[in-house]
Amino acid sequence: MSDRETRHKASMEKLKAHVDEKVSSANEQRGLIIVNTGNGKGKTTAAWGTVTRALGYGYNVAVVQFIKGLWECGERNRLEEDSHLEVAIMATGFTWDTQNRQADTEACHAVWKEAERMLADPEIYLVVLDEITYMLKFGYLEIEAVKQALENRPPEQTVIITGRNAHRELIDMADTVTEMQEICHAFNNGLQARRGIDY
């Protein structure tokens, strides 16, 4: 065996020991709070990927779309026929289009009632609160109401929260936080959002 192969084998043995130790120490089973935040692209896409994964195992899944609900959504189009998926959509679409705080707040509260029901249902394995961070940032929802619903959810239920500028208290509650970092974005260079790629 060459020196390079010997070093590689020793390195992989060390890595395997480290991974095995982490696996053996992970002995708790419960639902998670996952936050996908940051200015980069992919937060909602990642959440829909997990939705697809959970549906693939036959779990019940609920998605609440707070901002992009009226926009076309290829993932929703593909998956909405699945009897294990429930989707609730905020009826106003983009808040910067409506420019009506009262209407947006009322629409937010209406869809939040659906979210609260989902978050209390032990039959729902995964709940996605897509773009809920904006509802907190704009003051349409109170952080305490969201925290209470998350804290009181069934122990086996996982929740994915998406959106920029996630509230610090949500980040503190989370088990996993991923910050999507934008290096560059096609839209900023004049390229339109592409059907089947961006939505």
Side-chain angles (χ1 to χ4, degrees):
M1 187 180 292
S2 69
D3 285 347
R4 184 177 183 184
E5 290 171 333
T6 301
R7 286 194 306 273
H8 178 76
K9 186 174 188 312
S11 176
M12 291 301 105
E13 286 173 350
K14 185 177 179 181
L15 177 60
K16 179 178 176 4
H18 175 72
V19 171
D20 288 347
E21 182 182 349
K22 296 290 279 183
V23 169
S24 67
S25 66
N27 51 23
E28 185 180 359
Q29 271 281 351
R30 63 171 173 79
L32 306 172
I33 296 176
I34 300 170
V35 175
N36 296 339
T37 192
N39 292 333
K41 177 177 164 34
K43 297 176 288 293
T44 296
T45 304
W48 276 108
T50 307
V51 166
T52 305
R53 176 178 290 166
L55 291 172
Y57 287 108
Y59 292 117
N60 292 322
V61 178
V63 177
V64 183
Q65 293 188 291
F66 286 91
I67 292 282
K68 301 178 195 163
L70 297 182
W71 223 28
E72 277 193 287
C73 177
E75 300 98 330
R76 188 177 67 227
N77 292 347
R78 182 67 177 89
L79 299 172
E80 66 186 349
E81 297 299 319
D82 192 309
S83 62
H84 294 284
L85 176 65
E86 179 181 1
V87 180
I89 296 171
M90 185 168 149
T92 56
F94 291 108
T95 55
W96 50 87
D97 285 334
T98 61
Q99 300 175 13
N100 185 326
R101 181 175 175 78
Q102 182 175 344
D104 288 339
T105 302
E106 289 172 1
C108 174
H109 283 195
V111 81
W112 174 244
K113 286 191 186 307
E114 292 296 304
E116 285 183 309
R117 175 184 57 77
M118 295 165 176
L119 290 166
D121 187 343
E123 298 300 314
I124 299 178
Y125 186 75
L126 171 64
V127 176
V128 175
L129 303 175
D130 188 34
E131 311 284 9
I132 194 173
T133 60
Y134 291 98
M135 304 300 100
L136 296 166
K137 180 181 178 184
F138 298 151
Y140 302 161
L141 277 180
E142 295 296 325
I143 184 63
E144 288 306 320
V146 176
K147 284 175 58 181
Q148 184 176 6
L150 292 172
E151 287 167 351
N152 294 330
R153 75 190 197 283
E156 293 299 313
Q157 187 183 85
T158 290
V159 178
I160 302 177
I161 294 164
T162 75
R164 297 179 181 210
N165 303 307
H167 196 287
R168 172 53 56 190
E169 293 188 53
L170 293 181
I171 289 174
D172 289 344
M173 291 178 74
D175 299 288
T176 300
V177 179
T178 299
E179 183 172 7
M180 312 294 195
Q181 181 181 353
E182 182 177 307
I183 305 299
C184 66
H185 197 300
F187 180 71
N188 295 331
N189 294 319
L191 291 163
Q192 293 182 353
R194 195 157 176 79
R195 195 169 191 245
I197 304 299
D198 295 300
Y199 61 92

